[in-house]
Amino acid sequence: MMPQMLSREKLLAWIDQVSFAVVEMNLYLDTHPEDEDALAFFREKVELRKEALKQYAEQYGPLTIDTANDRMSRSFEWVMQPWPWEVNRKGGC
């Protein structure tokens, strides 16, 4: 379950965590396609990632093209915001 009302830094960290789980499970499922528990875990993490990306896009602007919503933007003002790697966070880029 995704934590609610996170700061920008914590939301980015959460997205990193669930994204890591999605990628790792994708790799695992490449070699273990019959593992139903792994598939269920993968699907759960994919949904959590989608929710987190949607929440981030609503609060701070899109991180990925599939969370961009041109109706929400005003002449692409989101490009004026700090990029995700520009956010000061411990252990960040």
Side-chain angles (χ1 to χ4, degrees):
M1 175 162 248
M2 183 176 70
Q4 296 298 316
M5 300 308 295
L6 298 175
S7 68
R8 183 181 193 138
E9 294 79 17
K10 288 185 180 182
L11 187 51
L12 278 172
W14 177 248
I15 291 169
D16 286 346
Q17 290 171 25
V18 293
S19 295
F20 178 84
V22 167
V23 170
E24 290 299 309
M25 291 311 300
N26 188 31
L27 292 172
Y28 176 81
L29 287 165
D30 283 346
T31 58
H32 300 80
E34 305 300 321
D35 188 336
E36 293 296 325
D37 291 334
L39 184 57
F41 183 83
F42 171 77
R43 288 179 176 152
E44 174 190 340
K45 298 307 175 199
V46 165
E47 288 305 312
L48 288 173
R49 183 176 184 275
K50 284 181 190 177
E51 290 174 26
L53 287 170
K54 181 181 175 193
Q55 181 180 343
Y56 188 94
E58 289 170 355
Q59 292 177 324
Y60 307 109
L63 282 176
T64 61
I65 193 67
D66 55 322
T67 59
N69 182 346
D70 191 49
R71 292 183 310 242
M72 292 175 57
S73 68
R74 293 181 49 210
S75 301
F76 294 97
E77 289 178 7
W78 55 270
V79 299
M80 304 307 291
Q81 302 297 318
W83 293 95
W85 56 85
E86 293 177 323
V87 176
N88 262 342
R89 63 183 169 128
K90 194 173 189 175
C93 295

